[in-house]
Amino acid sequence: MHSSAAEKDETAAPRGMHLALGAMVACQVGLHACVQGVRLAAPLNVLRLGYSAWSVGLVMTMFALFPALLALPAGRLADRRGYHLPVRVAAVCSLGGTLLAAALQNLFTLCVAAALCGAGSGFGMIAIQRSASRLAQSDSERLRVFSWIALAPALAGLFGPMLAGLLIDHAGFSAAFLALALLPAATLLAARAVPREAPRPAPAPGVRKTSAWDLLRLPSLRRLLFVSWVVSLSWDVHGFALPLLGVERGLNASALGLVLAAYAAASMTVRLLMPLVAGRLSRRALLCGALLLTCAVFAAYPLFRSAWAMAACAAILGIGLGLVQPAILATLHEVTPPERQGEGLALRSMTLHASMAVMPLLFGAIGAGIGAAALFWLMSAALGLGSLQARTIHADRGS
């Protein structure tokens, strides 16, 4: 009798973990597909209403600015209250943003909608990634968990803009925003399948409150934040500089579409395969190897002139960047104290969103001054430096 009960418990635990992980992936797909759809619909609506390109830039800035401003409060709330309250806040923000955009379409409301949907996606991502790490019992299992979590942005990046684009063309902008509002509503339902976490007890009276910036005293966390920023920067450089390089090489829009499709297909494929092999991979070897691979690709990219050669580079780049994201998230949870992992994720999110808001201006200045090829080579050097930093990352939570 006792042995059969123990066997039932052993089978129930993995089943419960898989259900919770599936629900977390669904929650992130809902929030991320919503913001990606609004990211397509809002600027198109701004142009349809007759506003200038500067207004489009203002709306697009809102998507990155508010996640950066709210990252630390989101991380602290996730550490203090667990999964459900932050995800509910995130879903309500995204739901409110899409409903506002559907009801009132002018520059102000579209800016507010972009801010709310961007904040919702960023707020929810921190809570989801923090709670996902608690499903794992070992380093290899954590890497596998984050491999599944990394699928969510890829799926959302396909589904959200496709849904928005089809509805804009066939039913108009209001219908598109209303349909996108169903995605955070679905997140609220999917979150019910995630087990509740006991809230962290309040600190005793007289205990000094810690600041998230204190975490930067951990050398390995500083190095990992640099690596994470470099990887994020490489995505942005590729998206920004590839059209410039293609025009310099005389490629037409169809050829550039082929290159970007090769990148997207390789990135999606490696993310689909990653959970199947994550248990056999070393997190450190994966992190360093992926950075060196992307470093080599960025160095080689400007040397090619044909669309097929550039598509091959893009596919290899998609593999490298698809591999590195789960390794970064798994490593962040290893080098951050367990009770402050939400704050660690918040520092990462704040760094990335601030970079997204500022760096395109710098890319434009460099590209205009010394050409697109220089952007690729500068990025290659930064990735090489990132791989050196990755080799020195250790679990130094108590440092």
Side-chain angles (χ1 to χ4, degrees):
M1 292 287 289
H2 293 295
S3 62
S4 63
E7 287 172 5
K8 286 181 181 178
D9 288 342
E10 288 175 6
T11 56
R15 194 180 303 124
M17 171 188 164
H18 294 151
L19 178 63
L21 181 57
M24 288 180 187
V25 172
C27 287
Q28 190 166 353
V29 169
L31 294 172
H32 203 78
C34 176
V35 77
Q36 291 299 325
V38 175
R39 196 183 289 270
L40 173 71
L44 290 178
N45 205 0
V46 168
L47 294 173
R48 182 186 70 87
L49 293 169
Y51 293 104
S52 66
W54 181 88
S55 300
V56 173
L58 177 63
V59 170
M60 296 304 286
T61 298
M62 294 294 127
F63 285 106
L65 178 62
F66 277 79
L69 294 176
L70 294 176
L72 286 177
R76 292 192 188 104
L77 183 63
D79 281 333
R80 199 169 63 248
R81 298 294 298 273
Y83 182 85
H84 288 272
L85 179 59
V87 169
R88 282 201 297 270
V89 170
V92 168
C93 284
S94 298
L95 187 62
T98 47
L99 292 177
L100 179 64
L104 299 168
Q105 295 178 21
N106 55 58
L107 182 60
F108 175 75
T109 56
L110 289 171
C111 284
V112 174
L116 286 171
C117 292
S121 178
F123 216 95
M125 180 186 68
I126 290 170
I128 290 165
Q129 291 174 350
R130 175 194 170 277
S131 294
S133 73
R134 281 156 167 72
L135 299 175
Q137 303 298 320
S138 65
D139 289 348
S140 61
E141 198 171 72
R142 186 177 292 112
L143 186 58
R144 187 180 293 110
V145 163
F146 282 120
S147 299
W148 286 113
I149 291 293
L151 274 175
L155 294 172
L158 290 174
F159 178 68
M162 188 182 302
L163 175 66
L166 287 172
L167 284 171
I168 288 168
D169 287 340
H170 292 94
F173 283 95
S174 291
F177 286 122
L178 285 173
L180 291 170
L182 296 175
L183 297 171
T187 291
L188 287 171
L189 293 176
R192 295 165 66 90
V194 178
R196 292 194 173 273
E197 179 183 335
R200 192 174 76 183
V207 175
R208 185 183 72 88
K209 289 185 177 180
T210 57
S211 165
W213 304 108
D214 293 340
L215 289 173
L216 295 179
R217 295 176 182 171
L218 300 173
S220 286
L221 183 60
R222 289 199 305 270
R223 296 180 191 117
L224 186 65
L225 289 176
F226 173 75
V227 168
S228 180
W229 173 71
V230 166
V231 169
S232 175
L233 198 61
S234 68
W235 295 332
D236 295 339
V237 165
H238 185 253
F240 180 90
L242 179 63
L244 300 179
L245 188 67
V247 169
E248 290 178 8
R249 300 291 188 266
L251 301 183
N252 58 24
S254 297
L256 286 172
L258 169 69
V259 176
L260 289 172
Y263 171 83
S267 180
M268 176 67 81
T269 300
V270 77
R271 289 186 183 194
L272 286 170
L273 295 176
M274 182 75 175
L276 305 177
V277 299
R280 303 179 190 139
L281 300 172
S282 158
R283 182 265 308 160
R284 186 178 176 189
L286 184 62
L287 188 58
C288 296
L291 286 166
L292 286 173
L293 180 64
T294 52
C295 169
V297 171
F298 270 98
Y301 230 124
L303 304 179
F304 298 107
R305 294 188 169 272
S306 78
W308 289 107
M310 292 174 71
C313 282
I316 298 170
L317 187 65
I319 291 170
L321 293 178
L323 288 171
V324 78
Q325 178 78 352
I328 287 175
L329 290 172
T331 305
L332 187 144
H333 285 81
E334 290 173 23
V335 303
T336 309
E339 71 279 4
R340 303 189 66 189
Q341 286 169 347
E343 288 181 292
L345 287 163
L347 288 174
R348 175 178 176 269
S349 177
M350 186 172 60
T351 303
L352 301 190
H353 283 103
S355 176
M356 286 167 59
V358 173
M359 293 308 291
L361 297 174
L362 181 59
F363 297 158
I366 295 174
I370 53 180
L375 275 173
F376 279 89
W377 288 325
L378 286 171
M379 195 67 249
S380 177
L383 286 161
L385 181 59
S387 71
L388 294 176
Q389 291 292 310
R391 291 169 60 87
T392 62
I393 293 174
H394 306 285
D396 52 7
R397 292 174 179 167
S399 300

